Amino acid sequence: IALRRGDTGFGADAVPLVVRWVQRVRHAVGPGCVIVVRIDAAGDCAALLRALEEQGVHYVIKARLDWALRSAISRAEHWTTVDRDADGAPTRQIAEVPFERESWHDADAKVRVFALRERDAEHRRRVFLWADMDWTTSAVLTNAAGEDQDALEEIVRTYNGSAEIEPLIADLKGAWGIGKIPTQRFCANAAMLRIKALAYNLFTRYVAAKKPELASWRTPWKRRVVIAIPGRLLQSGRQWTLRVPPAARWLN
């Protein structure tokens, strides 16, 4: 985890950081594991796409829907239906779009562009490209191979998998305050962010070791069971005794 300055964007300067993260994951999972990198539209960067390709990982990155890409999507003819409603009408379709940015060509990045159009897609920005069709359109960039129905559905599932990380980010922001900036000094804020991340990892490992059935719980509920335990401190003669509920004695 790293803190970036507010006046910097995610682009070519962030490539070394992303590569280090990918290499750490590769070291942890081994050479035989398939790593999939998913990034929002900030990852639509030729240098980053090239670096991910060199690292031998698969990526699914949300594309920037500029005018050129929107125009190419609107001309796509062959759409594959990957989901239907109860009446059998298509609700989600995907098509590979023949499109290449000039920056991709200069960076020798081999990128496939898939357009995704959906009905009633309330969870993302609504972009309509066809006047006579109620489709919300988005696009992803990937280096994944495959042309059949299963491959297309896998790309859709990977693209829609962002919700898996959202609860974790919400937990880190709400329970650990990683989004708060306590001082006006960048170095102090960066150190505080790392301390919070280390505390989260330590607490998560402790709960996994002592109470694994709570591993899927969010931090506030874990704290109620593991840390915020009611008790009564009693004195008998010169001896003090802490009494806690029987359910909390596993901590000993």
Side-chain angles (χ1 to χ4, degrees):
I1 188 168
L3 183 67
R4 294 188 295 117
R5 297 185 181 276
D7 57 351
T8 58
F10 189 92
D13 294 340
V15 170
L17 177 62
V18 175
V19 169
R20 287 199 302 270
W21 287 342
V22 170
Q23 290 175 345
R24 291 177 61 184
V25 173
R26 175 62 68 194
H27 178 74
V29 301
C33 182
V34 177
I35 300 176
V36 179
V37 177
R38 190 197 184 282
I39 309 178
D40 59 15
D44 189 351
C45 168
L48 177 61
L49 299 176
R50 176 61 179 173
L52 294 176
E53 185 76 25
E54 292 176 346
Q55 293 299 315
V57 301
H58 291 171
Y59 59 79
V60 180
I61 296 176
K62 186 176 181 180
R64 289 183 290 105
L65 284 179
D66 54 13
W67 181 88
L69 181 53
R70 293 188 185 193
S71 178
I73 294 174
S74 66
R75 296 192 301 268
E77 298 179 355
H78 304 289
W79 292 86
T80 300
T81 300
V82 295
D83 198 8
R84 298 178 182 271
D85 60 15
D87 297 326
T91 58
R92 184 179 299 161
Q93 294 181 328
I94 189 170
E96 185 166 5
V97 181
F99 177 79
E100 182 182 23
R101 302 192 195 279
E102 184 177 351
S103 59
W104 300 348
H105 179 75
D106 296 340
D108 193 24
K110 300 177 178 59
V111 185
R112 302 177 69 186
V113 181
F114 285 90
L116 178 69
R117 62 185 188 184
E118 302 173 275
R119 297 185 185 276
D120 302 325
E122 299 290 347
H123 58 285
R124 61 173 62 96
R125 179 185 175 188
R126 301 177 68 84
V127 178
F128 300 97
L129 299 182
W130 297 273
D132 57 339
M133 299 177 65
D134 187 20
W135 292 99
T136 296
T137 311
S138 57
V140 297
L141 315 176
T142 183
N143 60 346
E147 305 288 345
D148 57 5
Q149 179 78 11
D150 292 339
L152 295 177
E153 291 183 357
E154 180 63 25
I155 292 173
V156 173
R157 285 194 296 268
T158 304
Y159 173 71
N160 290 331
S162 61
E164 298 175 4
I165 194 63
E166 297 300 334
L168 176 58
I169 296 176
D171 192 30
L172 288 170
K173 288 183 176 180
W176 299 89
I178 65 168
K180 296 181 179 180
I181 306 299
T183 75
Q184 296 182 352
R185 295 180 178 272
F186 178 83
C187 293
N189 295 333
M192 183 64 70
L193 177 65
R194 290 185 173 90
I195 291 173
K196 293 175 181 178
L198 290 173
Y200 169 80
N201 291 335
L202 180 62
F203 182 63
T204 300
R205 291 192 176 189
Y206 176 76
V207 172
K210 290 288 187 178
K211 208 74 171 174
E213 61 270 23
L214 307 182
S216 62
W217 291 20
R218 294 288 171 253
T219 298
W221 292 102
K222 290 179 182 178
R223 286 174 176 165
R224 291 190 179 187
V225 177
V226 178
I227 298 177
I229 302 172
R232 178 177 295 179
L233 190 61
L234 303 176
Q235 183 181 20
S236 177
R238 296 183 179 180
Q239 183 178 2
W240 288 91
T241 303
L242 176 63
R243 291 186 178 180
V244 297
R249 292 174 185 170
W250 59 270
L251 290 170
N252 298 328

